[in-house]
Amino acid sequence: MNPARIAGLVDDRPAEGVFRVHADAFRSQDVFDLEMRTIFEAGWCFAGLECQVPKAHDFFTTRIGRQPVVVQRGADGRVRAFLNACRHKGAMVCHVQAGNARTHSCAYHGWAYDSTGANVGIKLRRQGAYTPAFDAESHDLRPARCESYRGFLFVSLNHDVPPLVEHLGGMAVFLDLVADQSPEGMELLPGPVTYTFNANWKFQVENTGDVYHFTSTHPSYIDVLAGRKAQGAEAPTTYSRFREQALVRGSFCFAQGHSAMWGSNPTPEARPLFLSLDEVEARVGEMRARWMLAVRNVTIFPNVQFAENASLQMRVIRPLGPGRTEMTGYCLAAKGEPREARLRRIRQYEEFFNPSGLATPDDTTAYEDCQAGMQAGQVDWHQGYMRGMAVVRQGADDYARELGVAPQTSAHGGFEMGDETIFHGPWRHWREVLMRAAAP
Amino acid sequence: MTALAEASAVLFAEAAALDERRWADWLALFTEDAVYHVPAWRDETTPTSDPEAEISLIYCASRAGLEERVQRITGGRSVASLPPPRTAHAVSNIVVAEDGAGLLVRSVWTSHVYNVKRREQHVFFSRVTHRLVRRESGWRIAHRHALLLNDCLPTLLDVYSL
Ligand code: FES
Ligand SMILES: [Fe+2]
C-alpha cells in the first residue's frame, strides 16, 4: 500500500487546531488487513491473566489478531504462548477454551506436542520413509513472545518487539491501580460474556474514552438510576448524582497508542472498593486509593480495556473485519472482598457492562449506526476529534504529575467539555505504525 | 383443567404478551418478588449457577428490575431499543411437575427477533424453567430461569429475545 494513503487518513495539524479522521480508516478492507498484519500480528496484544493458568500444564486458547494461539504454563512454571496450528497440516491442536494438558495431540494424523509446544511425537515416524530434509526441520508449534506484567499476560507474534514494560510505559501505573485493589490480588469471576457488533473495532477503542456521549447515548440508563433514587434506594450507583456537582474529567495519551480517561467520582460510596477503603489506603496510600476510586477508562492499545466507572470490567477486542468485531467482557474482582462489595460489583457489572444490560447495547448500536452512516461519501472527514483541543497540553498536567506518569499529552476540564483529544494519541500511533509498514 | 394445560396457558400468555408488546400484561404475569435469571456460561459445557458469586447475562431480584427494563424498552430514550423489534416466540416441550409450592414448568423457547432497522434476524433458543405460584387472580411466575444456549450475542440481548 502507498504510505501516502495512510498519511491521508489522519489530518493532524495541531498548530492550526485541526484534527480529523477519514472514514476509510474505519471501512476499508486494505486498511484493515494492514492493521492486522502490523498492529495486531507484529506488536504486543493482551492475551489474558496469569490467574487463568495457575498450575503447571494449565492453558487457555485465544486469538492474537486473526491467529489462533495457546497460552500455557509449562512444568517449569513459565507461561508460554504458541500458535494453535499443527505443523503437519495446520489443524488446530487445541479445541477448548481452557484446560490442563501435558500434551496436545492433533486429532488429524496424531502428531503430539508437550505443554511448551515442543513436538514429542510424529505418528509412525520410523516407517514414514522421510528424507533427512524433513528431519532437519523443527516440528514444534511456532512459539510467540509471552510476557507478564503483574499477572497481565501479553503476547506478540513478532519476536523482535521491545520488552513489555517498555511497550506499556505509563500504562503500567493504570494496571497497578487494578492489581493493587486487594492484598490478595484480583480474580476473574466465572461467566465471561462474548458478543459481536457490525462496526469497526476502533469505535470500541474510542468509545471507552468518550465522555461526550454519555448523556445523549445513555438517557434510558440515567432514567433508571434516577428512578431508583426517587424510590429511596439505599445503594447509590456511580452515575446517579453526576449532574449535581462540578466533576473533573481528564485524559492522557501515552506512547504506543495507549490512552486513559479519568474523572472524579461523584458517588465513591457506590463502589465495591469503597467498603475496603481503609485497608486499601493503609496499603497503597491516600493518593493511589483516590485514583483507584476515581472513574478510569483505559485502553492498552490495541485490544484490552479496563473500564472502572461502575464496577470493573476487563474487555478484550477482537477485530473480525473492517465492519465486524467480537468483544469479550470479564468481571475482575478484588479477591477476598466483603460479601456486600461482591454483590454490588456483580449487579453493577451486569447492568452496566453486559450486552444484555442497560447501557452497553446503546453504545454498541451507536457504533453500528456510525458504520452504516459511513457509506455517506460526502461526510468522509469526521469532526469528532476537536473538543478539548484548546486546552490540551504536551506532556504532564498536575494530575499526571500527582499520579507519577509521563503522558505525551494531557487534558482536563469539566464533565461537559467532553474531551476528544484522548483519541489523538491512538491515531498518531496508528498512523505511524501503518505508514512504516506501508513504506516500500 | 390439567396442570399441563394450566401451565401451558401461562407460558403462552407470556409469549403472546412479549410478541404483542403488551408490557403491562407481561409484567402482571410476575409476582412482585419474582426472580428473573439468565445465566452466562463458565465454559463450553457449564452455565453459571450462583448469581451472587458468578456473572449472569440478566439477573433481576424482583419485578422492579423488569419494570426498569420495560421503561427502557418503551421510553424512546434507548437507541438500541428502537425501532421496536418484531418477535415470535415459540414455546414447546412443556413438562410440568406439581409440588406443595405450586408448579415447576420446564419448556423450550425459540425466539425469533427481527431488527427492522438493519433488516437482520436472529434466533435465540433457551431451556426455560418457570416456577408458578397460585394467586387469587390465577397462576403467577415467581421465578423464571432461561438457560440461553447460543450465548455469543449478536450486538445485544433483552427480555424480548428470551
Ligand atoms: S494436521 Fe496435525 S497431524 Fe496432520
Ligand atoms: Fe457508553
Side-chain angles (χ1 to χ4, degrees), chain A residues 207 213 218 363:
Chain A
N207 187 69
H213 82 289
H218 301 298
D363 296 302

Side-chain angles (χ1 to χ4, degrees), chain A residues 207 210 213-214 217-218 309 352 359-360 362-364 367:
Chain A
N207 187 69
D210 185 325
H213 82 289
F214 186 77
T217 305
H218 301 298
N309 43 28
F352 191 85
T360 291
D362 293 312
D363 296 302
T364 314
Y367 316 160

Side-chain angles (χ1 to χ4, degrees), chain A residues 85-93 105-113 121 123:
Chain A
C86 181
R87 296 305 301 277
H88 183 240
K89 287 210 174 171
M92 284 170 65
V93 295
S105 52
C106 181
Y108 199 3
H109 310 90
W111 286 24
Y113 305 90
K123 188 180 76 180

Side-chain angles (χ1 to χ4, degrees), chain A residues 11 16 18 23 25 47 64-65 71 125 131 133 152 219 227 235 249-250 253 258 269 307 320 345 354 383 432:
Chain A
D11 183 12
E16 292 156 68
V18 173
I64 299 298
V71 175
R125 180 172 193 160
T131 60
F152 299 93
R249 282 289 179 277
C253 289
H258 312 316
E269 70 277 15
L320 300 175
R345 178 184 299 283
N354 266 347
Q383 299 175 344
E432 186 193 316

Side-chain angles (χ1 to χ4, degrees), chain B:
Chain B
M1 237 195 319
T2 64
L4 176 62
E6 293 193 24
S8 301
V10 177
L11 270 51
F12 295 157
E14 191 198 352
L18 288 169
D19 289 342
E20 293 159 27
R21 298 176 73 82
R22 288 184 282 104
W23 295 108
D25 294 347
W26 182 66
L27 288 169
L29 289 169
F30 291 83
T31 64
E32 220 166 292
D33 58 354
V35 171
Y36 187 98
H37 186 197
V38 186
W41 287 80
R42 296 179 71 108
D43 53 35
E44 288 92 336
T45 52
T46 318
T48 58
S49 56
D50 179 357
E52 301 192 343
E54 302 172 311
I55 297 302
S56 305
L57 288 172
I58 300 177
Y59 184 83
C60 296
S62 74
R63 193 174 65 192
L66 299 180
E67 287 162 4
E68 290 174 350
R69 283 184 171 264
V70 167
Q71 179 198 327
R72 181 167 169 279
I73 289 168
T74 58
R77 280 155 69 78
S78 155
V79 69
S81 312
L82 287 169
R86 298 178 196 148
T87 65
H89 290 76
V91 187
S92 67
N93 306 25
I94 302 174
V95 176
V96 183
E98 233 176 323
D99 59 23
L103 302 178
L104 192 66
V105 189
R106 294 180 197 285
S107 59
V108 172
W109 286 56
T110 307
S111 310
H112 299 263
V113 179
Y114 180 58
N115 180 327
V116 185
K117 178 165 73 172
R118 312 254 186 248
R119 301 190 178 176
E120 273 174 17
Q121 51 219 341
H122 300 289
V123 179
F124 299 90
F125 36 99
S126 20
R127 295 204 293 265
V128 182
T129 306
H130 285 78
R131 158 65 66 187
L132 302 184
V133 294
R134 174 68 90 180
R135 291 285 183 269
E136 264 172 40
S137 47
W139 291 104
R140 290 289 172 268
I141 303 166
H143 195 120
R144 189 191 201 276
H145 181 274
L147 179 61
L148 178 72
L149 301 173
N150 52 336
D151 69 326
C152 177
L153 302 179
T155 312
L156 62 93
L157 179 91
D158 212 324
V159 291
Y160 51 71
S161 326
L162 293 158

